[in-house]
């Protein structure tokens, strides 16, 4: 078994032992859909929020990705830096960068599992069809993952401690959640704010996933913004990441 495979196995065990992370991935997205979707469906036959039946499923998937990327990933890497795990790895034949790869792989796999569970819940609890445009859905989902994980890695690179990472992640996540249209539909926001929300990481992820879910084509400009943000944040994270 290679060193990377062993690290992935260890990180997966640690992840599964953390109830909060499991809550972010599996329980919260489904709970959100049940709280907001079922009452509306019972009242009007529409399971969606703001009159759009794809909003809740796409938002739930974006929540899963965003919480893993902005809460779990930066905090875990911050803890490793504080405890000098990365520095100790640098003195062994195992490069500390492999630990970063293992963290990303484990969080990505959990994000995909959370997406599958959410899609099944949408189908059977809210009686909605599966994504109609599967290739577009996969593209939007993967670009959303790449974008938000790159932002999370940048937070991990810049945060001096686990406590700082734990503060920066939520401080960025909740404004992004607002811009995605969670508390106020973007069509009711001021035009400038709505436009920013359209191309924010969570807003673009929600929109492109929702468009593909409904059978349409994700907006190319939003996909390009997700890809560009992923590349930019990855480059910056690589440039500024500190092992200790």
């Amino acid at each position: 078994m290679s060193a990377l495979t062993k690290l992935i196995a260890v990180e997966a065990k640690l992840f599964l032992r953390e109830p909060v992370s499991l809550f972010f991935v599996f329980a919260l997205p489904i709970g959100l859909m049940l709280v907001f979707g079922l009452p509306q469906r019972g009242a009007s036959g529409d399971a969606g929020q703001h009159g759009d039946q794809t909003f809740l499923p796409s938002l739930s998937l974006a929540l899963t990705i965003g919480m893993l990327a902005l809460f779990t990933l930066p905090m875990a890497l911050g803890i490793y830096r504080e405890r000098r795990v990365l520095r100790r790895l640098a003195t062994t034949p195992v490069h500390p960068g492999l630990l970063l790869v293992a963290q990303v792989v484990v969080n990505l796999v959990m994000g995909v599992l959370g997406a599958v569970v959410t899609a099944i819940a949408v189908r059977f609890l809210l009686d909605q069809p599966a994504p109609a445009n599967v290739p577009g859905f996969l593209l939007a989902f993967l670009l959303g993952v790449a974008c938000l994980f790159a932002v999370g890695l940048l937070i991990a690179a810049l945060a001096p401690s686990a406590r700082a990472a734990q503060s920066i992640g939520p401080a960025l996540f909740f404004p992004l959640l607002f811009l995605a249209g969670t508390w106020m539909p973007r069509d009711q926001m001021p035009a400038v704010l709505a436009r920013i929300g359209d191309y924010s990481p969570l807003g673009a992820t929600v929109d492109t996933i929702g468009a593909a879910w409904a059978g349409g084509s994700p907006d190319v400009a939003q996909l390009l913004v997700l890809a560009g943000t992923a590349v930019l944040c990855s480059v910056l994270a690589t440039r500024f990441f500190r092992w200790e």
Side-chain angles (χ1 to χ4, degrees):
M1 183 181 293
S2 67
L4 178 58
T5 305
K6 291 179 180 178
L7 284 174
I8 291 174
V10 170
E11 291 300 320
K13 289 179 182 178
L14 292 174
F15 187 100
L16 293 174
R17 291 176 183 173
E18 182 53 59
V20 175
S21 299
L22 295 176
F23 173 78
F24 286 162
V25 176
F26 299 108
L28 184 60
I30 296 175
L32 177 71
M33 288 190 298
L34 291 177
V35 168
F36 291 102
L38 289 180
Q40 293 184 19
R41 182 171 179 267
S44 62
D46 183 1
Q49 186 178 2
H50 312 318
D52 182 359
Q53 67 175 354
T54 66
F55 181 80
L56 274 176
S58 57
L59 175 63
S60 298
L61 292 179
L63 271 174
T64 300
I65 303 168
M67 287 186 168
L68 284 171
L70 303 182
F71 285 65
T72 305
L73 184 60
M75 186 171 63
L77 294 178
I79 290 173
Y80 286 154
R81 183 185 292 115
E82 281 186 351
R83 295 177 180 176
R84 297 185 179 273
V85 173
L86 299 176
R87 176 52 61 187
R88 286 199 294 270
L89 275 178
T91 64
T92 72
V94 179
H95 192 277
L98 291 180
L99 185 58
L100 304 186
V101 175
Q103 271 284 328
V104 171
V105 168
V106 169
N107 280 275
L108 175 59
V109 170
M110 292 301 169
V112 171
L113 290 177
V116 171
V117 171
T118 299
I120 294 173
V122 167
R123 176 67 184 90
F124 292 102
L125 296 180
L126 298 182
D127 194 25
Q128 292 188 32
N133 180 358
V134 176
F137 171 80
L138 291 176
L139 177 62
F141 179 78
L142 291 176
L143 284 179
V145 167
C147 174
L148 289 163
F149 273 40
V151 173
L153 288 174
L154 181 58
I155 293 173
L158 297 176
S161 65
R163 185 182 296 273
Q166 195 173 12
S167 301
I168 296 171
L172 180 61
F173 178 75
F174 289 108
L176 289 178
L177 202 59
F178 170 78
L179 290 172
T182 305
W183 294 291
M184 177 187 296
R186 265 174 277 157
D187 57 13
Q188 297 179 16
M189 293 180 181
V192 173
L193 196 60
R195 194 65 172 171
I196 294 172
D198 290 342
Y199 296 100
S200 65
L202 274 180
T205 300
V206 169
D207 287 352
T208 52
I209 289 177
W213 200 298
S217 298
D219 184 80
V220 175
Q222 288 180 312
L223 293 176
L224 290 175
V225 167
L226 289 175
T229 303
V231 172
L232 176 62
C233 289
S234 296
V235 170
L236 292 176
T238 302
R239 169 66 179 81
F240 294 110
F241 195 88
R242 301 181 306 278
W243 298 114
E244 61 178 348

